[in-house]
């Protein structure tokens, strides 16, 4: 049985639509695939509707968290009740954060004496989702900075800059609690992904385990062999499940579906612990030429 518990579709930053993703998962010989888009469950309905026979869908999400002021900690959540109100509100807060965040940055600029108008920024963004490049363009128009890249400095919009506004991210302990309350299971994603600059300290993993975390993702493209061995040892000590997955993003990254997989016994344990939703067996959607 081949089980891949971490993939992204166009519902977040993947390039396959949810329908393409499940078809590609079946073509890649997977028996089980989890759809875990960033902070949203938007892709699940489409994936479910066309799920090929023989493929089981695990509904999930990857929640953006921040620990001790450091962002980029990702928490995989599986088989939670998507309608549980507190979790749903938190999830959407992160996903729909773009506009309020951009507005905050505009306000901060105004407080710094830059006469930038929100209406102008919104017009520059047009149909695109508004962000720092649009604000920077408005600053160029006003002659505040000579070019867009000159706005991405500590003086203005760079991370931690005077007019920068941070993304909303969950506290990981809240995430564990909320997912559990919604009947789901939590697995800390790629906790030792050095390349991404996001390494979760072992002490924090231990605290999360004590707070109800179910598992850690061990077999991931960003973990080398030594890292995997170390994480496996830590998981054994802390009584955590260990998973493996591709973190597939379609053509955005080179990783293949099923490049890393999860042990069937561990998958079984995850499904036993979850009470918020059941894995969806594929009934075979409409055939595509
Ligand atoms: Zn991630
Ligand atoms: Zn991911």
């Amino acid at each position: 049985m081949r089980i891949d518990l971490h993939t992204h579709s166009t519902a977040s930053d993947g390039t396959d639509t949810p329908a393409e993703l499940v078809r590609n998962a079946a073509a890649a010989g997977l028996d089980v695939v989890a759809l875990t888009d960033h902070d949203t469950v938007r892709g699940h309905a489409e994936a479910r509707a066309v799920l090929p026979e023989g493929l089981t869908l695990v509904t999930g999400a990857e929640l953006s968290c921040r620990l001790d002021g450091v962002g980029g900690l990702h928490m995989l959540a599986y088989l939670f009740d998507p309608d549980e109100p507190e979790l749903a509100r938190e999830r959407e807060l992160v996903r729909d954060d773009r506009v309020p965040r951009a507005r905050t940055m505009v306000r901060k600029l105004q407080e710094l004496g830059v006469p930038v108008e929100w209406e102008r920024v919104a017009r520059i963004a047009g149909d695109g989702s508004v962000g720092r490049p649009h604000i920077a363009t408005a600053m160029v128009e006003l002659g505040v900075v000579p070019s867009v890249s000159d706005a991405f400095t500590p003086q203005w919009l760079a991370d931690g800059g005077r007019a920068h506004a941070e993304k909303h991210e969950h506290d990981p302990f809240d995430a564990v609690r909320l997912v559990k309350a919604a009947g789901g299971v939590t697995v800390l994603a790629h906790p030792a992904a050095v390349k991404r600059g996001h390494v979760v300290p072992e002490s924090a993993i231990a605290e999360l385990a004590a707070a109800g975390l179910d598992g850690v993702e061990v077999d991931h493209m960003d973990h080398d062999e030594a890292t995997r061995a170390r994480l496996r040892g830590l998981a054994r000590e802390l009584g955590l499940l260990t998973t493996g997955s591709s973190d597939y993003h379609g053509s955005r990254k080179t990783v293949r579906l099923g490049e890393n997989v999860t042990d069937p016994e561990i998958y079984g344990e995850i499904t036993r612990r979850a009470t918020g939703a059941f894995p969806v067996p594929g009934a075979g959607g409409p055939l595509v030429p």
Side-chain angles (χ1 to χ4, degrees), residues 96-239:
D96 296 335
D97 186 36
R98 267 179 170 276
V99 170
R101 188 173 167 234
R103 276 183 177 275
T104 300
M105 288 188 272
V106 167
R107 186 175 45 73
K108 286 187 171 186
L109 283 170
Q110 289 166 346
E111 285 165 9
L112 290 165
V114 178
V116 59
E117 299 286 339
W118 169 251
E119 289 69 26
R120 182 64 200 141
V121 172
R123 207 166 319 121
I124 293 167
D127 293 336
S129 52
V130 63
R132 281 185 285 179
H134 309 116
I135 301 171
T137 302
M139 290 169 72
V140 173
E141 286 179 358
L142 292 166
V144 178
V145 286
S147 74
V148 164
S149 58
D150 289 303
F152 283 79
T153 60
Q155 200 188 354
W156 303 115
L157 299 173
D159 287 0
R162 292 189 304 166
H164 179 251
E166 275 173 358
K167 265 193 270 188
H168 179 88
E169 288 170 310
H170 310 282
D171 173 279
F173 292 90
D174 280 349
V176 166
R177 180 180 57 78
L178 285 171
V179 171
K180 215 184 224 333
V185 172
T186 47
V187 172
L188 185 59
H190 47 69
V194 182
K195 272 181 280 180
R196 300 175 187 227
H198 301 313
V199 176
V200 184
E202 291 195 1
S203 57
I205 299 177
E207 284 169 30
L208 286 165
L213 177 72
D214 292 285
V216 280
E217 190 178 50
V218 171
D219 293 308
H220 182 280
M221 59 177 162
D222 289 351
H223 294 159
D224 61 21
E225 281 309 321
T227 301
R228 294 179 193 202
R230 179 176 65 76
L231 284 172
R232 244 182 271 284
L234 181 68
R236 207 173 304 121
E237 250 172 63
L238 298 174

Side-chain angles (χ1 to χ4, degrees), residues 6 8 38 62 247 249:
H6 184 169
H8 297 271
H38 296 285
E62 186 174 19
D247 203 354
H249 279 73

